[in-house]
Amino acid sequence: MSTTGATAFDRAVSAVRNGAPAATQAAHLYEQLTDAERLDLLDGDLPFWQGMHSFVTDGYNVDPYPMGAVPRLGVPGIQFVDGPRGSVVGQATAFPVSMARGATWDTDLEERIGAAIGAELRAAGGNFFGGVCINLPRHPAWGRAQETYSDQPTLLGEMGAALTRGVQRHAMACVKHFALNSMENARFQVDVRIDDATLHEDFLPHFRRVIDEGAAAVMSSYNAINGEWAGQNPHTLTTVLREEWGFEGTVITDFIWGMRDGTAALRAGLDVEAPFRQQRGAHLAAALADGTADWADVRRAALRILATQLRHYAGREQVEPDREVILSDAHTELARDAARRAMVLLRNEPVAGSPVLPLPATLGSLAVLGRLADRANTGDHGSSDVRSPEVTSALAGLTAALPDARIRHDDGADLRRAAELAADSEVAVVVVGYTAEDEGEFVDGSVATREELLAIYPEPEDDQQAAWRDEVLSTMGAGVSVVGAGSAGGDRRDLHLRPEDVQLVHAVAAANPRTVVVLVTAGAVLMEEWHREVPGILVSWYCGMAGGHALADVLLGAHNPSGRLPYAIPADAADLPELDIDATAITYDRWYGQRLLAQRGVQALYPLGWGLSYTGWSVSGLTIVRDGERLRGEVTVANTGDVDGRHVVQVYGTRTDGDRTGERELLGFATVTVPAGSSAVVPLDVSLDRLTRWDATGARYVLPGGPVRIEAGSFWGDPDAAVGTVQL
């Protein structure tokens, strides 16, 4: 790299690329900064009220949010772009939501999606992706469950690591929200109480996995943890993240309300206040002058910020993607492929002797019913909303795939009319589920104007800012969302479908025995009152901009269903953990999801990992041995039907003696494509981490000895799984 005309930052990047330590080069840069520039590294570059005004007038993340740029030395700073459905800035490819991608159990696919998002983000001027969301949804009512992958730490960690690998070819990947953020309505007030063992064994391992993969940054969460706000919590930000895990990257706040005390946050290890010049811009210089804050803490944070950027620019792909990569044909096709791989076939019962799916290519008539059948519905309208210029609905996808069929559509508001259309068609497809009105990010303006949050807004610096402040507070005070289109969102108070959707399913199922229900959702849907009335149920998720085409691919058999549930679906609301979505305090324990169902001795309606196919599968011949902290071996997967397909082998471990006897835990997984009538040997390489226990006294994980039953199967509790035993 030529240094002719290069900035100080360019020269430091070149040195790091040639082997110099990033921390050393960061220190050289720091010495060249003025005190004002050093402080400017620690927050956003836009004045607070200007930035807030852009929220409510222009929209969220229309351009990258700049933080800590130093043009004099060429320091680019953070150019923040949100996710995880894609690049939020401008128009971009909308991929299926993360929970849908979790249902693929496909880390190679997720890495490809990460690379695509990173390239689009970089082409739009960003260098920092705030979209590696891996919070564990303790309860499926969480409104932002769509932004994460699963309630299983193993799947969360591996998919988050894959996204990170892909994104960081082009942009710094930020993992969020650290930690215990899985309540939406109460996130600005709730204190999550948790013991150290549960924290380390269930709610942190996936974060550590992504940190170990090399994630550049961490975003703290809004909630409190054991009495201290996460954005200024020394136990999580320093003891765990820095001392136990050795994280050397940058920690930023969640936006606007993620830091309650700027000095305490700086001392606790919080580096950047995001996204605007807010509390630190208003108060930090004075706190340093009176000794309340310490310049040593400023230097520590600044060095981490600079070193993170140096490592990234030294290691990222050198060829700049041009803007043609955004919404390219390749990325649109990748979104379609991800959507069809994600869809989970829950039920496929025979009608007149044959399974209702796939639909025949010779289909002459089809009723496509439901209020969501012809709606662009890619997820919530919060900070993860990706603006795609075109979204293919279920109706549009099926119409394009069946040009010779007679297709009738009705929104289902008139049940009699919908039933008549269904009765007069060979097959009825009913599209029901949720939208941004039902679940998603919740930042109602009336929340954002609560007294304790108003206290962390800075005073305007001039008349223009004062005018912006008055306009912003007036708008928010009227209840308008500050990050989206004003939709309700938030946590779900009921996991059943809307009553009108249930009534439509009943009416159509009574009119046509060949009824297929397509569920649009992120979290679990309770369906005990109707699921046995229909022969076909497919979870399509919020399936991205090409989701309608992908749905047609699956329903018509062009793609053999290969998605598997990334969580269990309970049979009854009584089988869920306790939850008050408006709580000010809540205790998180280890009893959630499939583990809670097993502990209570109740069957899931559909267990973790469940998913049907248009072919048959068998798993046999397990060989497994311990190799240090991992299990290695192989298993044979046979496609016993007449359709090519892809299968997910899930590896579970159960202690048969001693501590937690009988608890089956997901240890790992592998995917394989097998032609019809063939078999393949699948290598297994899984971690023993899920069987370790946290020793708080020694601040370390220990692996208790004893026999462990290993099952390689197709879902949790698969009676046909291949079985072996290892001795720990």
Side-chain angles (χ1 to χ4, degrees):
M1 174 181 175
S2 171
T3 57
T4 304
T7 66
F9 184 80
D10 292 333
R11 292 189 291 273
V13 168
S14 181
V16 173
R17 192 175 294 134
N18 290 321
T24 301
Q25 294 302 311
H28 292 331
L29 285 173
Y30 183 82
E31 294 307 316
Q32 298 175 62
L33 297 171
T34 66
D35 282 351
E37 289 170 335
R38 291 166 179 172
L39 296 186
D40 283 346
L41 290 175
L42 308 187
D43 59 12
D45 295 346
L46 293 176
F48 180 77
W49 291 111
Q50 178 185 345
M52 291 294 287
H53 186 257
S54 73
F55 266 173
V56 299
T57 57
D58 302 327
Y60 176 77
N61 216 168
V62 174
D63 298 301
Y65 290 120
M67 307 176 209
V70 186
R72 184 176 66 84
L73 299 183
V75 177
I78 290 169
Q79 303 296 325
F80 182 101
V81 177
D82 222 328
R85 262 180 274 168
S87 172
V88 170
V89 163
Q91 292 187 333
T93 304
F95 292 93
V97 296
S98 294
M99 189 64 82
R101 284 146 41 201
T104 71
W105 299 59
D106 191 332
T107 56
D108 291 339
L109 176 65
E110 186 64 5
E111 186 171 345
R112 290 168 56 206
I113 290 171
I117 293 172
E120 293 198 10
L121 178 159
R122 183 174 174 181
N127 68 7
F128 188 102
F129 179 59
V132 184
C133 182
I134 56 168
N135 289 111
L136 188 155
R138 169 188 168 272
H139 195 289
W142 181 34
R144 291 177 77 175
Q146 60 194 269
E147 292 188 47
T148 192
Y149 297 103
S150 173
D151 65 359
Q152 297 296 302
T154 297
L155 188 52
L156 281 167
E158 293 306 319
M159 295 297 281
L163 183 66
T164 295
R165 287 193 300 271
V167 165
Q168 291 201 156
R169 300 177 196 176
H170 297 286
M172 293 170 275
C174 179
V175 60
K176 65 183 186 184
H177 309 83
F178 194 68
L180 303 175
N181 180 82
S182 59
M183 294 176 65
E184 187 61 14
N185 291 47
R187 60 182 172 157
F188 300 122
Q189 67 191 33
V190 70
D191 179 17
V192 181
R193 298 166 182 170
I194 191 168
D195 65 76
D196 214 32
T198 304
L199 178 69
H200 281 81
E201 292 175 14
D202 284 280
F203 290 90
L204 292 186
H206 37 292
F207 280 96
R208 183 167 188 173
R209 173 69 185 91
V210 179
I211 293 299
D212 288 346
E213 193 62 41
V218 171
M219 176 185 285
S220 61
S221 55
Y222 290 124
N223 53 279
I225 302 171
N226 290 331
E228 181 59 88
W229 298 110
Q232 57 200 52
N233 193 306
H235 180 69
T236 51
L237 297 183
T238 294
T239 303
V240 174
L241 190 59
R242 304 291 186 181
E243 296 172 1
E244 293 177 7
W245 297 356
F247 179 61
E248 297 179 342
T250 299
V251 177
I252 73 171
T253 66
D254 205 339
F255 278 22
I256 304 172
W257 308 282
M259 190 175 79
R260 303 301 178 95
D261 182 327
T263 301
L266 182 64
R267 189 180 305 117
L270 196 290
D271 301 321
V272 179
E273 182 181 21
F276 306 131
R277 191 165 63 245
Q278 190 177 341
Q279 295 182 72
R280 285 184 172 171
H283 307 301
L284 184 54
L288 290 164
D290 67 18
T292 308
D294 193 325
W295 273 104
D297 292 331
V298 172
R299 185 178 190 277
R300 180 185 62 191
L303 293 183
R304 291 196 291 235
I305 294 164
L306 292 169
T308 299
Q309 295 175 54
L310 290 171
R311 283 190 293 267
H312 169 67
Y313 277 84
R316 73 178 186 171
E317 291 187 5
Q318 296 304 298
V319 177
E320 290 285 338
D322 57 36
R323 291 194 65 86
E324 281 67 36
V325 74
I326 300 173
L327 287 163
S328 64
D329 290 345
H331 289 180
T332 302
E333 179 55 34
L334 181 60
R336 178 173 178 169
D337 192 33
R340 61 190 170 211
R341 292 200 206 184
M343 294 183 186
V344 180
L345 183 59
L346 295 182
R347 184 172 170 85
N348 192 22
E349 294 300 300
V351 179
S354 298
V356 68
L357 294 174
L359 303 179
T362 57
L363 192 69
S365 60
L366 175 68
V368 184
L369 308 168
R371 60 190 177 84
L372 304 184
D374 195 28
R375 179 166 178 170
N377 188 20
T378 60
D380 81 345
H381 297 314
S383 60
S384 69
D385 196 5
V386 174
R387 307 171 186 94
S388 292
E390 183 177 350
V391 176
T392 304
S393 69
L395 176 64
L398 287 165
T399 300
L402 292 167
D404 299 324
R406 182 174 54 124
I407 297 179
R408 275 87 60 83
H409 166 250
D410 190 86
D411 65 8
D414 184 326
L415 295 179
R416 176 178 295 181
R417 184 176 63 219
E420 289 173 351
L421 288 180
D424 192 36
S425 302
E426 295 173 47
V427 177
V429 172
V430 185
V431 185
V432 292
Y434 306 118
T435 71
E437 298 168 6
D438 303 297
E439 60 180 354
E441 185 165 13
F442 182 77
V443 192
D444 181 276
S446 61
V447 172
T449 53
R450 291 182 345 196
E451 183 177 355
E452 67 272 24
L453 298 182
L454 286 171
I456 62 178
Y457 301 159
E459 289 297 316
E461 299 174 6
D462 53 39
D463 291 344
Q464 176 62 76
Q465 290 191 35
W468 283 333
R469 176 200 59 188
D470 294 345
E471 183 178 351
V472 167
L473 294 181
S474 175
T475 301
M476 292 196 306
V480 176
S481 169
V482 298
V483 297
S487 59
D491 301 310
R492 282 190 278 155
R493 294 181 184 272
D494 187 346
L495 298 191
H496 294 86
L497 293 176
R498 288 186 177 190
E500 59 265 37
D501 283 351
V502 174
Q503 292 166 7
L504 179 63
V505 171
H506 287 317
V508 174
N512 190 326
R514 296 182 183 272
T515 294
V516 177
V517 173
V518 175
L519 287 173
V520 181
T521 185
V525 179
L526 295 175
M527 57 186 93
E528 72 277 7
E529 75 274 39
W530 59 264
H531 82 111
R532 295 194 184 278
E533 295 181 18
V534 296
I537 304 175
L538 181 76
V539 181
S540 73
W541 314 102
Y542 300 104
C543 48
M545 63 181 295
H549 293 308
L551 177 64
D553 291 340
V554 173
L555 293 181
L556 295 170
H559 178 85
N560 190 353
S562 55
R564 304 293 184 260
L565 283 177
Y567 50 70
I569 297 179
D572 190 276
D575 301 333
L576 293 164
E578 294 294 325
L579 178 67
D580 173 7
I581 69 172
D582 300 309
T584 57
I586 189 170
T587 297
Y588 278 19
D589 58 26
R590 51 191 302 272
W591 302 111
Y592 57 85
Q594 183 69 69
R595 184 193 292 154
L596 175 62
L597 299 179
Q599 189 258 354
R600 292 181 175 176
V602 297
Q603 294 293 316
L605 188 64
Y606 296 104
L608 169 67
W610 177 265
L612 300 175
S613 173
Y614 296 153
T615 191
W617 298 101
S618 71
V619 182
S620 62
L622 174 66
T623 63
I624 199 85
V625 295
R626 180 179 177 181
D627 182 5
E629 300 305 307
R630 305 192 70 80
L631 296 177
R632 305 186 197 276
E634 61 184 32
V635 72
T636 298
V637 176
N639 182 336
T640 61
D642 56 5
V643 182
D644 296 346
R646 175 181 162 276
H647 194 53
V648 180
V649 179
Q650 301 161 38
V651 181
Y652 295 90
T654 307
R655 290 190 176 276
T656 59
D657 186 30
D659 184 35
R660 299 181 187 174
T661 297
E663 288 188 16
R664 182 183 285 115
E665 292 287 336
L666 177 67
L667 305 183
F669 55 93
T671 60
V672 61
T673 299
V674 186
S678 300
S679 63
V681 175
V682 181
L684 300 177
D685 179 4
V686 302
S687 173
L688 288 167
D689 285 351
R690 298 303 302 141
L691 299 176
T692 61
R693 301 290 176 261
W694 178 250
D695 173 17
T697 303
R700 62 191 180 97
Y701 291 95
V702 296
L703 184 63
V708 177
R709 173 185 168 94
I710 303 297
E711 300 165 281
S714 301
F715 54 90
W716 189 95
D718 181 1
D720 297 320
V723 179
T725 301
V726 294
Q727 182 72 32
L728 302 183

